[in-house]
Amino acid sequence: MLGGCAGTSPADTRAARQAIAPGGTLRAAINFGNPILAKRGAGNQPQGVSVDLAREAAKRLDLPIELVQFDSAGNVVEALKAGRVDLAFVAIDPVRGADMDYTAPYVIIEGAYLVRSGSALQRNDEVDRAGTRVVVGRGSAYDLFLTRELKSATLVRAPTSPAVTDMFMTQNLDVAAGVKQQLEADARRVGGVRLLPGRFMVIEQSMGVPKGRAAAQAWLSGFIEEMKRSGFVAAALERHAIEGAAVAPLRAG
């Protein structure tokens, strides 16, 4: 059996293999709601940095893989909690941390706000005002973050992150919040809108496993550090033409 990451003993790898995929197949959740992580390519097949990482992990563990497809991070989290998948690619958030254990981040991305061209809003810190309606993908990292941070504005939740801009337009809402790259693509598609400068949050994307699978979390944490150190993550971002995302720094120590 393949030894996995540098410095991992065969015994540790066997324990990780059982902990990560107790059913014998690595069921990896692929979220199309975040285009930085995954999208549908030729023949509607999943592709992206999360797909590449899932396949590489399965290869090193000598496991068959099943890519289980979702359209929102919220649905991914629910599937992991329910035991329908073994591995998730999600943003680190303390609320989700109650039900899953994370690796260190492998990619850092930005959350941005979209407004109409004629909006009086000019800066991110102007959004949190009474009467401002902000639409966000239900259960996304942006939803969880803004639920904690917004004190005066009202959150409106779209079914998925890709549906945010269309709901923003059709319901005449004030602000759309989400992945910067998704909103930039939406702005080109719908017209008459603009992004506020900068970002309102930084999102750390990680691998997550069900709470309590210590051997799984330990092996995957070493795997992620090796994927960053070796240039695997950077090469995947370049191969899939992802702009605006950066490889996360190596874990200290």
Side-chain angles (χ1 to χ4, degrees):
M1 184 174 61
L2 297 178
C5 301
T8 301
S9 72
D12 289 340
T13 303
R14 284 194 294 272
R17 181 177 174 175
Q18 177 60 33
I20 293 170
T25 296
L26 178 56
R27 301 170 300 169
I30 302 301
N31 174 26
F32 294 115
N34 186 336
I36 287 179
L37 303 185
K39 58 187 177 181
R40 292 180 175 89
N44 216 33
Q45 293 300 303
Q47 62 181 40
V49 61
S50 62
V51 177
D52 293 349
L53 285 168
R55 287 177 170 152
E56 183 66 16
K59 176 183 175 183
R60 289 176 179 235
L61 289 165
D62 196 21
L63 284 167
I65 188 168
E66 177 186 359
L67 300 178
V68 186
Q69 301 178 23
F70 297 89
D71 288 323
S72 76
N75 289 338
V76 168
V77 173
E78 290 304 313
L80 190 77
K81 287 167 59 177
R84 297 195 301 272
V85 297
D86 305 302
L87 175 65
F89 293 86
V90 292
I92 295 174
D93 184 90
V95 173
R96 293 173 180 165
D99 299 297
M100 71 174 70
D101 289 321
Y102 301 110
T103 66
Y106 60 92
V107 160
I108 296 174
I109 61 178
E110 296 178 329
Y113 288 135
L114 180 79
V115 299
R116 285 174 175 74
S117 297
S119 172
L121 296 172
Q122 299 295 326
R123 302 193 312 271
N124 291 322
D125 60 8
E126 296 173 347
V127 168
D128 192 14
R129 294 178 177 176
T132 300
R133 297 163 302 162
V134 181
V135 59
V136 66
R138 184 181 302 276
S140 66
Y142 318 99
D143 182 7
L144 299 175
F145 177 83
L146 293 174
T147 296
R148 294 191 298 269
E149 297 298 319
L150 293 183
K151 308 303 181 186
S152 300
T154 300
L155 276 181
V156 180
R157 292 174 175 88
T160 65
S161 291
V164 162
T165 297
D166 289 338
M167 188 168 172
F168 162 76
M169 297 296 289
T170 58
Q171 296 191 17
N172 198 31
L173 300 172
D174 303 298
V175 180
V179 179
K180 187 174 185 178
Q181 287 71 23
Q182 177 73 61
L183 295 180
E184 288 173 337
D186 288 344
R188 293 190 292 270
R189 174 173 61 87
V190 303
V193 295
R194 57 182 169 84
L195 270 69
L196 296 184
R199 63 196 185 196
F200 69 84
M201 71 177 293
V202 173
I203 304 109
E204 296 180 317
Q205 291 289 340
S206 73
M207 283 180 162
V209 294
K211 201 78 173 177
R213 294 191 187 180
Q217 193 270 347
W219 189 92
L220 289 168
S221 292
F223 169 76
I224 281 296
E225 294 307 308
E226 183 178 343
M227 294 300 95
K228 292 186 292 187
R229 186 181 299 109
S230 69
F232 183 99
V233 176
L237 292 174
E238 182 177 358
R239 180 167 57 254
H240 298 294
I242 300 301
E243 298 180 357
V247 179
L250 290 170
R251 183 176 51 193

